Amino acid sequence: LQTLRFQDGSPFTADPDEFSRQVVPLRAGGGGSPGESSLDGVGEAAALPFRIKSTKVLLLISDEPPCVPD
């Protein structure tokens, strides 16, 4: 799992240019056993420091089915 960190160390930013600088260099690679640890990724995302009383919206994009059991 990889969580991006922005200038202030936060995993969130309101600066679209900073977001772009972090995301554009990312590349998919590797491979190996089939399946992704989808539940782990969603769990890590849900634990991020969202603003109090904010609505959490998580979007999982994967090219593999989840590992079962995960």
Side-chain angles (χ1 to χ4, degrees), residues 28-42:
S33 61
E36 299 286 347
S37 190
S38 306
L39 186 57
D40 290 338
V42 170

Side-chain angles (χ1 to χ4, degrees), residues 37-59:
S37 190
S38 306
L39 186 57
D40 290 338
V42 170
E44 178 140 327
L48 292 173
F50 287 84
R51 290 186 318 264
I52 296 173
K53 296 186 179 182
S54 66
T55 299
K56 295 179 183 179
V57 177
L58 305 175
L59 174 64

